[in-house]
Amino acid sequence: MTIGWDAVADVDWSRLFHAYGAATDTPAQLRALTGEDAAARGHAVDHLWGAVLHQGTPWAVTAPAALVVAGLLADPATGAPIAEGEAPLRATLLHFLGRVAEAGQPELGDDELHAMAFPADVDERAVRAAWDAMLDGDCDCAYDEDCTCDDDPEADSADDEDVPEPDPDLIAKATDAIMARVVVDIRSAAAALLPPVEAAFTDGDPRVRVNAVDAASSLLALPGLRGRRGAVAAKVEQAARRAVHRDERAALVLSLGYLGDKPRGHLADPDPAVRACAALAPTLADDEAATEELLTALRRPAEADRWFTDRPPQIRAHVRFALLDAVLRRVADFERLLPAAVAIAAVTTPACADWDWGRLLAAAFPSPVTRPRRPRASPTPSAPTCARWWPTRSCGTPGAATPGWRSTRSGCRTTATPAAVWPNRRRDRLMATRRPSVTPARRDPS
């Protein structure tokens, strides 16, 4: 498979959709990435993150757009920043490709994904109807100040009066099949995306190099490419040993862990940030020295949050969130967590409930007290509706972080039943991608 514009020469963009409907505007946005208009380049980047890959969710246009973006990496125009003081555009594009790779759902096997994409109990006519409905989705209002899509909502309503209501179960199954096929397309493109990403390992800017390695580690997590991880990990290990600055060395060491390597040697690095990034490696989850390194870092959480000028791309919010996430997966004894918990309590805020203190409360009190609730004139509001779709939210209240915990003393006294306090947190496997030991992108409460 080729990359760049040649790879999409026969693509009918009007038959592809992004988060806001038909992707007819995407080719112009992609061309703007290497244009001379800085404002247009900025809007094009917004289009990538807001429409082509919306909060981690891929769409039919995502794979073709990623192939074009991969072809733009070698363009000299992407070596410059959009605005003074920012990272080169190339670094942003590589970060985008890394998130596209994550949307390829590496935890799903090929057979399982194929069964989801082509279910035996869903007629292809229903899939085509659902596809057409997605093409007619919301317009891309976020990027068009002159949008007139809602000028005559009464007329739209009148047009729909005689349309019979379709079977919601069939719509859901057809939509799931479409989204699974989107993931199939991403996996099909992954092998073509890898070479231009690897070529950026030797870029002159460390921010580009870091994002290139991160993107490669995400691509190599996909089925079909995992066999190449060893060779890439050897290159990354050499680069990490050459790296002079903390930001680059720590990010490269963190990538080693996601490449399946055991960066145990970096636990002896003189820099605590690098040691902690080595300790975050999933392959060191059972290593006592690695766990102790994380606990040591969490005893000074404010200092850990200030470690980096340019945070590793794998850590998308406060550093302490990533450290705590790994520790909670490894340590069951809260007494051992207590010094870190006390230190975190001194620096956290209500908005951080989902990421630190709410999770520590859950660890400290795994079996909430059960007792009848007193009658109330009006029921206590439950967690926001968004709670059912996202395993983490940025609603900024204790109730949003841990259903059942309230933000007032009186609310805390009326403890809910265990089923209400600690419900199973399900997620739509095709709509939200998460990596272990990292925090969701673009949801930093700070």
Side-chain angles (χ1 to χ4, degrees), residues 18-26 29 43-44 46-52 54 135-149:
H18 51 47
Y20 301 99
T24 52
D25 54 342
T26 298
Q29 297 286 1
H43 286 306
D46 291 341
H47 182 80
L48 290 180
W49 290 113
V52 175
H54 184 76
L135 291 173
D136 294 333
D138 298 333
C139 79
D140 197 354
C141 301
Y143 309 106
D144 186 1
E145 296 178 357
D146 299 322
C147 173
T148 59
C149 63

Side-chain angles (χ1 to χ4, degrees), residues 1 61 77 83 116 119 209 249 270 285 329 331 337 359 379 385 402:
M1 183 180 288
V61 76
M116 297 170 72
R209 297 195 295 268
R249 191 161 75 254
R329 295 171 186 270
V331 179
L337 295 171
R359 301 188 68 192
T385 302
T402 309

Side-chain angles (χ1 to χ4, degrees), residues 28-46:
Q29 297 286 1
L30 292 172
R31 290 189 179 91
L33 288 169
T34 52
E36 297 181 358
D37 187 333
R41 295 170 78 193
H43 286 306
V45 170
D46 291 341

Side-chain angles (χ1 to χ4, degrees), residues 22 27 39 161-162 195 226 254 263 338 419 429 445-446:
E161 286 181 356
D162 298 329
R226 292 172 185 163
L254 196 54
L338 189 56
R429 301 180 73 184
S446 60

Side-chain angles (χ1 to χ4, degrees), residues 329-399:
R329 295 171 186 270
R330 304 178 188 187
V331 179
D333 182 6
F334 190 78
E335 290 295 326
R336 192 177 178 194
L337 295 171
L338 189 56
V342 171
I344 289 172
V347 300
T348 192
T349 68
C352 297
D354 280 349
W355 293 273
D356 55 23
W357 67 267
R359 301 188 68 192
L360 284 166
L361 278 177
F365 303 100
S367 301
V369 176
T370 303
R371 60 183 177 184
R373 306 178 79 182
R374 292 177 296 177
R376 303 178 64 92
S378 59
T380 303
S382 61
T385 302
C386 60
R388 74 179 61 181
W389 304 119
W390 295 97
T392 54
R393 273 90 55 199
S394 56
C395 301
T397 64

Side-chain angles (χ1 to χ4, degrees), residues 206 209 240 242-251 271 274:
R209 297 195 295 268
R242 291 194 303 265
V244 176
H245 299 291
R246 163 188 282 182
D247 291 2
E248 182 178 11
R249 191 161 75 254
D271 192 312
V274 177

Side-chain angles (χ1 to χ4, degrees), residues 230-275:
V232 172
K235 295 180 182 179
V236 176
E237 175 64 39
Q238 293 176 3
R241 294 188 180 281
R242 291 194 303 265
V244 176
H245 299 291
R246 163 188 282 182
D247 291 2
E248 182 178 11
R249 191 161 75 254
L252 295 177
V253 168
L254 196 54
S255 289
L256 282 173
Y258 290 120
L259 286 167
D261 194 36
K262 291 186 177 182
R264 188 174 285 108
H266 294 281
L267 292 174
D269 194 281
D271 192 312
V274 177
R275 295 198 301 271

